[in-house]
Amino acid sequence: MSATPEDRPHPSPETSPRVVVVGAGIVGCSLADELTARGWTDVTVLEQGPLPAPGGSTSHAPGLVFRTSPSKTLTGFARYTVEKFGSLSHDGVPCFEPVGGLELATTPERLADLHRRAGLAAARGVRGEVVSTARCKKLWPLLDESVVLGGFHTPEDGLARAVLACRAQLDRATARGARFLDRHTVTGIERADGRVSGVVTDRGVFPADHVVSAAGFWGPVIGRMAGVDVPLQPLAHQYARTRPLRELSGARAEATLPVLRFQDADLYFREHHDRIGIGSYAHRPLPVDPFGVPGYDAARGRGMEMPSSYPFTEEDWAPSWADARRLVPALRGAEVESGFNGVFSFTPDGMPVLGETRELRGFWLAEAVWVTHSAGVARALAEWMVDGRPSTDVHDCDVTRFEEAQRSPAYVRERGSQQFAEVYDVTHPLQPMERPRPLRLSPFHARQEQLGAFFLEGGGWERPHWYEANAPLVASLGAELPGRDPWSARYWSPIAAAEAHATRERVALYDMTPLRRLEVAGPGALDFLDRMTTNKLRKRPGAVTYTLLLDDNGGIRSDLTVARLAEDHFQIGANSPADLDHLVRHAPRGVQVRDITSGTCCIGVWGPLARALVQPLTEDDFSHEGFGYFRARRAHIGHVPVTAMRLSYVGELGWELYTTADLGLRLWDTLWEAGRDLGVVAAGRSAFNSLRLEKGYRAWGIDMTTEHTPAEAGVGFAVRMDKGDFVGRDALRDRPEPAHRLTPLLLDDPAAVVLGSEPVSVDGTTAGYVTSAGHGYTLGRCVAYAWLPAGLTPGTGVHIEYFGEKVPATVAEEPLFDPEMTRIRR
């Protein structure tokens, strides 16, 4: 068992780093508590407004805590917030009230989604159940049950008293040595030699080794002082309180009823003694310029209660008030006593922004964090700062996750506003944002449009998922392909099955341009990469190696393919911008690391006829003997110079062909024309995902993260403990046998499909959750990978919960397809 923060040996005050936290809202107070509990006691928290309610989002937050989220990370943050705040009180008043949560369905679609959410909750350790209309009425007697079809009840959710939680944590941090200074307006960030060195305020300068911006919707303002763009858009959100209701007269407690969500109308409800508070996401997005938000005193001078409380816009409220009265008859004769438009933060993907910035070392962000996740975020960031890594995976919150194309003010504003509009929408896992599109296009885009590509978006890229031009091929599948339920049929087409079969039987072209490509070059490049990764890279030029980036604790930061193109020149296939950031941070002098993705492109040519397609186009030897598996070389395909790598993520013979973006269209046309007589097809991501699942190829960030070791994730073959020292080696050597493993499952029913994140039960008890899933068109069954207890043998029966139904599945032996690898090595 790991030590709690209080159990850790504390550094002395002389050795404790100097930390300045900007912002004493719920995040800043929680972070000060978490840092000082870990022995970093030289902590100063600066706040421009008066304590304990300085006027940011925390000061007006309604305090709803619903832990269930599509994001495993956010659920974990919320679970810790409930645990921590549930143990805190101030002046005898608890900081968290576990009144429970109740989400209502008034449409069949929403009721189905509540069953899905119940599955998400079970997979992530949150107790909850889908309940009947009668049960909803019993839990919330003020409802008009005639409009309710059912609900999702989570009894341990509830209300956080954010300001009290701030005060409780402020007191604890202060007792350990932290200081909180209000009425200090930050005016600048000092730096020296690329690191932060201090914070300038209107009342003096505070030297610092680390500065954390926990300034909420002022985050972009503080970021600009540090030369850092903070991708955050503040928006105003309507909240109103009624006059006293007769039905709640005599209420002594602040709240006893569950916090209520009426998501079909974008509303939520909570008690305030004998009044009801109502929040609305139904109105038009109301973006706020963070550089125009007044300070505390200026806001009061404008008649605002606080900087985060903008005037209530009655015209936006009217439709929501009508919907509220429709659900709650007690409101039909009631009046609104007060209301305001409260400002809080959204990012382009709706997730927080956490971590140390690349532009200025020692400058950290803890922004776009809601009260729901505040304590969990603070713990993760404190671990990151003190121990070098958070104990939970936070890649989907990492500040480095955004592409350069996703950081413009216009992009952040547009997508942040859309995130506001979709807060309570039923959102499919594959559902893309609608705007701004298209943004990033591969050189093949025009040809893909001509073939009727259906595009989804990822990382700003337009990515074909299937091509309508292949629709005639579906008829050849006959009765092999079962139908789908409405949910799994979204963003899917039977054409994907035809493309998968064409890849297995003939040859297909895949656009791999969005695959991140890094170039590492210069004297010492080999030593550097060998130290950073797990596999042996000391091979002659032309070798390609699958390897891993680990953290110091042995967790998987990323997986890479590393091609040694020359003695000191490597091309790397990576995952996220965080990989670039990590390598740049650690690269020694003389080693250059750069992202070459935007200036290059890639076509995957895969299938049993791949050699028959490529060989006539080149004078180079592409035979098995002349161009072996996991090898790379420079060549020409027709008139186009390429870097060819004999790799296959789909389990078939073939190559990844890379060239510069200006020659990409010529490369596509050359391959397409030459492949006509071979029956070549263009194939999309949907077929690609099916084929890679059949081979058991892992997707980092979905199947494995820093929470998992190579042995647990089934990629231990990429670790060579005998090669010498590398990051994470010592941690792996001392690791016990895995208690959980990434386990392949085959659904028993050929017609059944799951999509990912569903709970998996063994012997009737929830034992894990699905990561990746999709129909294996070659196998004729849905393939699902799941984190489950180690030791489950092939043939063991399990159940996957899908929209409330228990779907039987069986533990399988991998690889599921072509275990001898004969199709790739031919």
Side-chain angles (χ1 to χ4, degrees):
M1 180 180 294
S2 62
T4 65
E6 297 291 356
D7 296 328
R8 299 173 187 270
H10 290 181
S12 68
E14 293 77 17
T15 60
S16 179
R18 298 167 299 177
V19 180
V20 175
V21 179
V22 180
I26 191 64
V27 179
C29 290
S30 297
L31 180 60
D33 183 48
E34 295 286 338
L35 285 172
T36 55
R38 287 166 173 78
W40 281 24
T41 55
D42 191 349
V43 176
T44 301
V45 183
L46 301 175
E47 176 52 61
Q48 64 173 341
L51 292 174
S57 300
T58 299
S59 301
H60 73 245
L64 282 65
V65 178
F66 284 85
R67 292 165 297 166
T68 305
S69 166
S71 165
K72 177 177 176 290
T73 302
L74 292 187
T75 297
F77 287 162
R79 287 181 62 190
Y80 182 71
T81 299
V82 168
E83 175 187 332
K84 183 176 186 181
F85 290 0
S87 69
L88 295 176
S89 63
H90 186 80
D91 288 341
V93 180
C95 295
F96 181 78
E97 201 67 59
V99 294
L102 180 61
E103 303 178 40
L104 298 179
T106 60
T107 65
E109 180 187 36
R110 181 69 64 179
L111 184 60
D113 190 59
L114 294 187
H115 281 284
R116 183 176 69 97
R117 287 180 61 78
L120 289 173
R124 289 157 190 175
V126 175
R127 187 164 70 95
E129 63 174 334
V130 177
V131 296
S132 67
T133 300
R135 178 67 174 152
C136 291
K137 177 68 172 179
K138 186 173 182 180
L139 288 166
W140 231 84
L142 277 63
L143 291 176
D144 179 352
E145 69 268 35
S146 68
V147 301
V148 177
L149 300 182
F152 174 48
H153 180 223
T154 46
E156 280 91 31
D157 287 343
L159 292 168
R161 296 184 174 94
V163 174
L164 283 187
C166 284
R167 296 176 69 179
Q169 293 177 103
L170 182 155
D171 290 346
R172 297 201 321 181
T174 301
R176 301 185 191 112
R179 56 178 176 167
F180 290 75
L181 304 176
D182 62 1
R183 298 294 189 177
H184 282 64
T185 300
V186 174
T187 59
I189 303 294
E190 294 186 333
R191 69 196 73 195
D193 300 322
R195 282 197 61 88
V196 71
S197 60
V199 177
V200 182
T201 76
D202 58 351
R203 299 175 66 177
V205 178
F206 295 83
D209 303 302
H210 298 272
V211 173
V212 182
S213 178
F217 53 77
W218 282 292
V221 178
I222 303 302
R224 180 175 292 183
M225 297 177 191
V228 173
D229 290 327
V230 179
L232 174 162
Q233 176 60 54
L235 288 113
H237 159 61
Q238 289 202 305
Y239 191 80
R241 291 193 195 193
T242 68
R243 294 188 184 279
L245 299 180
R246 176 178 54 80
E247 290 81 356
L248 297 177
S249 62
R252 295 185 179 181
E254 179 184 359
T256 58
L257 300 178
V259 181
L260 188 70
R261 276 174 162 173
F262 180 20
Q263 290 153 302
D264 290 323
D266 295 310
L267 296 174
Y268 63 81
F269 303 77
R270 59 151 294 178
E271 293 170 280
H272 294 280
H273 296 284
D274 59 356
R275 293 163 169 81
I276 294 290
I278 307 167
S280 172
Y281 293 98
H283 55 82
R284 61 194 167 93
L286 299 168
V288 172
D289 178 6
F291 295 90
V293 177
Y296 189 90
D297 293 327
R300 305 279 286 192
R302 296 185 193 178
M304 299 162 60
E305 184 179 345
M306 62 185 79
S308 61
S309 178
Y310 274 53
F312 195 61
T313 49
E314 294 283 355
E315 65 276 13
D316 293 309
W317 176 249
S320 293
W321 185 229
D323 285 331
R325 289 173 157 181
R326 177 166 61 92
L327 180 70
V328 182
L331 299 178
R332 293 169 190 171
E335 296 179 354
V336 171
E337 181 177 67
S338 62
F340 64 96
N341 290 2
V343 182
F344 64 141
S345 306
F346 284 83
T347 59
D349 59 5
M351 298 292 287
V353 179
L354 310 178
E356 186 182 23
T357 63
R358 184 187 307 170
E359 299 90 337
L360 183 61
R361 299 298 183 230
F363 184 75
W364 298 75
L365 298 180
E367 299 291 9
V369 181
W370 294 8
V371 171
T372 302
H373 311 114
S374 55
V377 163
R379 178 177 67 171
L381 197 67
E383 291 171 338
W384 208 340
M385 296 173 70
V386 175
D387 304 328
R389 64 180 293 275
S391 60
T392 56
D393 169 55
V394 295
H395 80 273
D396 51 2
C397 303
D398 195 317
V399 62
T400 62
R401 72 187 182 272
F402 293 110
E403 305 283 350
E404 194 62 33
Q406 297 173 308
R407 302 182 72 95
S408 71
Y411 184 95
V412 173
R413 182 169 53 253
E414 189 165 4
R415 290 229 167 168
S417 296
Q418 187 64 22
Q419 287 293 336
F420 175 91
E422 294 181 357
V423 162
Y424 281 168
D425 285 3
V426 177
T427 305
H428 193 277
L430 294 177
Q431 183 173 324
M433 298 290 284
E434 296 179 359
R435 300 182 306 275
R437 292 179 63 193
L439 187 63
R440 306 178 78 183
L441 305 178
S442 81
F444 325 126
H445 186 78
R447 298 294 184 264
Q448 292 165 346
E449 285 190 311
Q450 291 168 4
L451 293 170
F454 179 84
F455 294 100
L456 296 178
E457 181 261 1
W461 289 101
E462 294 297 315
R463 308 177 77 159
H465 274 241
W466 64 82
Y467 295 85
E468 289 296 331
N470 296 324
L473 301 177
V474 175
S476 65
L477 301 177
E480 298 177 34
L481 191 64
R484 287 202 171 201
D485 66 273
W487 184 254
S488 65
R490 292 190 192 182
Y491 307 105
W492 174 85
S493 168
I495 295 172
E499 293 173 0
H501 279 281
T503 307
R504 291 276 188 242
E505 295 168 358
R506 299 188 303 279
V507 61
L509 305 184
Y510 287 83
D511 181 0
M512 302 301 292
T513 300
L515 173 71
R516 182 169 307 281
R517 293 172 290 286
L518 308 179
E519 183 181 73
V520 179
L526 174 60
D527 290 341
F528 165 59
L529 289 174
D530 200 48
R531 169 81 177 86
M532 296 297 292
T533 66
T534 60
N535 213 336
K536 290 184 177 180
L537 301 184
R538 297 186 182 279
K539 304 171 184 177
R540 68 183 187 274
V544 182
T545 305
Y546 177 79
T547 188
L548 307 172
L549 283 175
L550 303 183
D551 62 23
D552 290 333
N553 204 43
I556 303 171
R557 290 186 60 99
S558 189
D559 63 341
L560 311 174
T561 53
V562 179
R564 191 177 188 187
L565 303 181
E567 289 294 326
D568 295 316
H569 184 196
F570 296 82
Q571 181 173 311
I572 297 175
N575 286 295
S576 75
D579 295 342
L580 172 65
D581 181 72
H582 182 63
L583 293 175
V584 167
R585 286 175 187 266
H586 291 88
R589 188 180 300 276
V591 174
Q592 295 84 42
V593 181
R594 67 188 187 101
D595 192 324
I596 61 172
T597 309
S598 296
T600 56
C601 59
C602 177
I603 299 176
V605 185
W606 292 312
L609 301 183
R611 184 176 286 115
L613 171 55
V614 174
Q615 185 64 81
L617 299 174
T618 181
E619 297 181 4
D620 292 272
D621 184 1
F622 272 59
S623 70
H624 181 63
E625 295 75 19
F627 197 152
Y629 188 53
F630 262 73
R631 298 291 298 171
R633 69 166 50 156
R634 301 279 173 77
H636 283 82
I637 302 297
H639 297 93
V640 180
V642 300
T643 298
M645 299 186 194
R646 191 170 167 196
L647 308 174
S648 175
Y649 205 53
V650 300
E652 295 293 334
L653 170 69
W655 289 266
E656 293 177 357
L657 302 176
Y658 298 89
T659 191
T660 53
D662 60 322
L663 291 169
L665 192 58
R666 183 62 178 263
L667 177 62
W668 179 280
D669 288 344
T670 299
L671 293 167
W672 186 258
E673 290 302 320
R676 285 184 182 274
D677 292 341
L678 300 173
V680 69
V681 302
R685 295 288 301 181
S686 187
F688 177 87
N689 192 55
S690 169
L691 298 171
R692 73 99 181 165
L693 281 168
E694 291 182 332
K695 284 299 293 179
Y697 294 148
R698 277 52 168 160
W700 183 84
I702 300 173
D703 298 318
M704 55 189 186
T705 68
T706 54
E707 295 181 3
H708 311 114
T709 66
E712 293 169 338
V715 290
F717 63 86
V719 178
R720 298 299 177 92
M721 296 293 287
D722 59 347
K723 78 162 189 168
D725 194 24
F726 59 85
V727 175
R729 182 176 183 271
D730 291 344
L732 293 185
R733 184 183 56 208
D734 298 333
R735 280 270 184 162
E737 282 295 309
H740 291 80
R741 291 186 186 274
L742 190 62
T743 305
L745 306 174
L746 282 175
L747 273 61
D748 294 352
D749 182 355
V753 172
V754 298
L755 299 183
S757 298
E758 298 89 356
V760 181
S761 59
V762 180
D763 295 330
T765 301
T766 300
Y769 62 93
V770 174
T771 57
S772 295
H775 198 90
Y777 299 116
T778 315
L779 301 174
R781 298 287 176 88
C782 181
V783 179
Y785 273 81
W787 281 102
L788 292 171
L792 295 180
T793 57
T796 302
V798 302
H799 285 88
I800 303 173
E801 184 176 327
Y802 183 70
F803 285 89
E805 299 292 327
K806 299 290 187 181
V807 179
T810 301
V811 174
E813 190 167 0
E814 61 178 345
L816 304 173
F817 175 79
D818 188 26
E820 303 301 323
M821 302 285 282
T822 57
R823 299 177 70 92
I824 293 177
R825 295 190 174 102
R826 59 180 171 183

